[in-house]
Amino acid sequence: MIPDRLAPILQPIAAALAPDAEVDALVPTGNPQHGDYQWNFALKIAKIQKQNPRALAERIRQELIAAAPAEIARDAAGQLRVEVAGPGFLNITLDDAWLCAELRAQVESPEAGVPQSGAGPDGAAKTVIVDFSSPNVAKRMHIGHMRSTQIGHALYRLHRAAGWRVIGDNHIGDWGTQFGMLFYAWKHHRATPELAAETDAAFAEDPVGELERLYVWFRQQTELPAPEVLAAMPEDAQAELRAQIEARMEAARAETAKLQQGDPENTALWQRFIGVSLEEFNAVYRRMGVTFDEVLGESAYNDRIEGIVSGLLADGIAEHSQGAVIVRFDEPALKAQVMMVRKRDGAANYAATDLGCIRYRQERWAPEKVIYVTDKRQQLHFQQLFAVAKRWNIPTTLVHSWFGTLTLPMGLMSSRKGNVIRLVDMLDEAARRARAVVDQKSPTLPEEERARIAEAVGVSAIRYADLSQNPQTDVAFEWDRMLSLEGNTAPYLMYAHARCVSLLAKAAGLGFAPDLQNLRLSKDGHDLERELVIALLRLPEGAATALRTARPNVFCDHLYELAARFSRFYYALDVIDGGDDRDSRLALVEASRRALRWGMELLGLQVIDRM
């Protein structure tokens, strides 16, 4: 990154002025006319040392002039282009030849520009586990899973680019009381040969869809009517209804207990439900280009639960309370609510399972860091979980990378109510809408290629529409906004890449090939060329900032800026007919092609050569 390359020049000057002061990084200027980067060190130190900031900035400027670094540009009179601006900023303009040399090196190895935060003291890669997606067995993946899956996968790729050993873990929900509900509904719908045949046929046609229908049926059978409806019922009718609901709930709890005790029938059903669910999950993941290194359900940690609960009690971390086992907290933000690790009926819950998972990961991978990618509603759970891990002396850094919820116009999605939009349906709709655009713009392409392009554009548009937003904001689901193929979208980036490929192919047909060694700026120093070079060099900065802040949208902004700069360059300047500048501009097109491809792949977008 440019700031890191300039640090050896600036740090000695800063240390001479204030040995103990922390040197802030350079930041891009808001206006290219004011230079390329801005340094506010003088402002910071002047306040501490009670000096005039502009006078101190001028002193730093003179120190830079005396050092005469080749990285900084010079004006026509040979003077270093470092200017004092505003209350004491230093604006620095970089040398064109140095910029081109840096870009040549970066294009050869884009990830080399990303600070390798994953390298340990001994040079070996540190391990990070990214826990993301985590759908529940026997339920469809819906658009509520989109954010965890896509944000988590982006964080996975960003860490890998920064040199980490990354473990992508899909911690699926495959245990708990919902299976007792499913078993009850399954058996109820097989009470007669006719019902059994109907259920079997529905399951064969759409296994997960049938399981979801049975779950929704059970929830509906165990819900009280609206308060006004209930109040209008005679008291004896109310009592009878409540008794029926409790009887069904008790029957479901009994089915859950049978599973936990290893009942052969329920165990076989459970394994069958897991199998069909994983098949459907994997089909969606393949389509989205998402992979995992580990897929384990909550059930994988069952044999650890008893030891964990006993250990928490023995260490004084947990205590008995009204038949349950709980953890109390002294921390002001947590003390208002206890964390239950075992219920009164002896069943463990999510907290116990997550603690078992922490132990398992520590033993297997000894990770430096674990990142949990879930929505904001789970913040308290993870704060409590991390507090217990700290009391356990777990050395791993645990991070909850939370995100805002995705909502439907009628409110939050709920499998209980059945008002969900399946993720696969959304991907189908995205591809359908993209196909309409492809057919309009490229009707002469072969049918198979148009279908492939439409799929790539549609899926990538969905991914980018999510990643390009601050993850910690709530997102209202709107088809038109999320699937727009104009503006700051994946198709815009894909078009920019396709233009690079097309232009290079045209040049090759005329006998011209790009050579990165020809990369330089025009003799006239055209602004559009220089702005494109700067945008290319800043791409690793965007990746580093996105990784540090766990906000992939920051990198999206940098990638979009690069595509926009390339488009201005593409439309305004001749490349093949560029005369003396043809070879350098072809090299710049090749650098843009590689950078766009690297950036899109880093976000998990599909890259295509023509649209």
Side-chain angles (χ1 to χ4, degrees), residues 12 39 122 128 130 152 170 186 243 264 277 307 322 410 442 510 533 563:
W39 197 30
D122 59 354
V128 58
V130 184
N170 192 2
W186 176 269
S277 297
Q322 299 178 0
M410 72 286 289
S442 305
L510 296 172
V533 169

Side-chain angles (χ1 to χ4, degrees), residues 19-96:
D20 298 328
E22 184 177 341
V23 179
D24 293 333
L26 292 168
V27 296
T29 58
N31 186 338
Q33 294 181 350
H34 299 155
D36 299 317
Y37 282 83
Q38 189 176 84
W39 197 30
N40 68 349
F41 186 71
L43 275 173
K44 179 178 179 179
I45 298 306
K47 185 176 182 179
I48 297 172
Q49 298 181 350
K50 298 182 179 179
Q51 296 188 45
N52 182 297
R54 282 190 63 89
L56 190 57
E58 181 58 35
R59 180 178 168 186
I60 295 174
R61 176 176 175 273
Q62 293 302 323
E63 293 283 351
L64 279 171
I65 290 174
E71 292 86 347
I72 299 179
R74 296 175 180 274
D75 60 21
Q79 295 296 313
L80 220 62
R81 295 186 61 183
V82 180
E83 300 175 355
V84 177
F89 295 111
L90 276 177
N91 289 339
I92 300 173
T93 301
L94 300 173
D95 180 72
D96 288 354

Side-chain angles (χ1 to χ4, degrees), residues 126-132 152 156 159-160 164-170 291-295 360-361 364-365 367 369-371:
K126 295 181 290 187
T127 298
V128 58
I129 297 172
V130 184
D131 182 326
F132 66 103
Y156 177 99
H159 276 86
R160 192 169 60 185
W164 289 80
R165 176 196 178 207
V166 191
I167 307 297
D169 192 345
N170 192 2
T291 58
F292 298 92
D293 304 291
E294 179 95 303
V295 180
Y360 164 81
R361 289 168 172 169
R364 179 168 183 184
W365 289 301
K369 180 169 61 172
V370 177
I371 303 172

Side-chain angles (χ1 to χ4, degrees), residues 263-522:
D263 174 75
E265 180 185 10
N266 282 7
T267 299
L269 280 176
W270 174 70
Q271 292 173 339
R272 186 180 185 189
F273 295 167
I274 290 174
V276 296
S277 297
L278 287 176
E279 286 182 13
E280 181 162 308
F281 295 163
N282 290 335
V284 175
Y285 291 137
R286 283 193 296 271
R287 193 169 176 187
M288 296 176 70
V290 173
T291 58
F292 298 92
D293 304 291
E294 179 95 303
V295 180
L296 285 179
E298 295 161 351
S299 61
Y301 313 105
N302 282 342
D303 59 354
R304 296 172 174 265
I305 300 301
E306 188 56 40
I308 285 171
V309 174
S310 299
L312 290 173
L313 288 167
D315 293 340
I317 296 174
E319 63 186 68
H320 291 284
S321 176
Q322 299 178 0
V325 176
I326 65 169
V327 177
R328 298 185 190 276
F329 299 93
D330 296 327
E331 294 89 340
L334 304 180
K335 65 189 306 179
Q337 187 170 328
V338 302
M339 182 175 80
M340 185 179 295
V341 292
R342 189 170 67 194
K343 302 175 184 178
R344 283 181 293 177
D345 61 4
N349 62 359
Y350 295 127
T353 299
D354 284 346
L355 289 170
C357 183
I358 287 175
R359 284 291 196 194
Y360 164 81
R361 289 168 172 169
Q362 189 64 34
E363 293 166 7
R364 179 168 183 184
W365 289 301
E368 180 81 12
K369 180 169 61 172
V370 177
I371 303 172
Y372 298 83
V373 187
T374 74
D375 72 52
K376 65 181 181 181
R377 292 170 293 186
Q378 298 188 45
Q379 289 182 83
L380 177 61
H381 168 74
F382 284 105
Q383 289 168 4
Q384 292 180 332
L385 187 71
F386 297 169
V388 173
K390 184 177 181 181
R391 295 185 198 179
W392 259 357
N393 296 317
I394 296 292
T396 304
T397 299
L398 303 176
V399 179
H400 183 208
S401 182
W402 59 270
F403 53 85
T405 56
L406 190 64
T407 61
L408 292 170
M410 72 286 289
L412 291 177
M413 291 169 294
S414 169
S415 296
R416 178 176 180 176
K417 296 179 179 179
N419 62 332
V420 299
I421 293 178
R422 297 191 308 166
L423 187 50
V424 68
D425 289 338
M426 187 172 75
L427 296 175
D428 286 344
E429 178 67 6
R432 186 190 66 78
R433 294 185 179 219
R435 177 60 187 266
V437 175
V438 173
D439 286 346
Q440 180 182 10
K441 292 183 175 293
S442 305
T444 59
L445 291 178
E447 164 72 20
E448 183 178 343
E449 185 171 5
R450 278 182 286 154
R452 180 179 59 82
I453 291 172
E455 173 71 8
V457 171
V459 173
S460 295
I462 290 295
R463 181 185 289 269
Y464 190 82
D466 186 14
L467 294 179
S468 61
Q469 301 181 74
N470 184 337
Q472 295 185 342
T473 56
D474 292 339
V475 177
F477 178 76
E478 299 174 18
W479 281 111
D480 291 340
R481 180 176 61 83
M482 294 185 72
L483 299 177
S484 172
L485 302 182
E486 299 178 356
N488 183 13
T489 63
Y492 184 82
L493 305 179
M494 298 168 86
Y495 270 122
H497 176 268
R499 288 190 184 109
C500 291
V501 173
S502 175
L503 191 53
L504 292 170
K506 182 179 179 181
L510 296 172
F512 307 130
D515 184 347
L516 293 177
Q517 296 306 311
N518 293 326
L519 190 61
R520 59 176 174 78
L521 297 181
S522 301

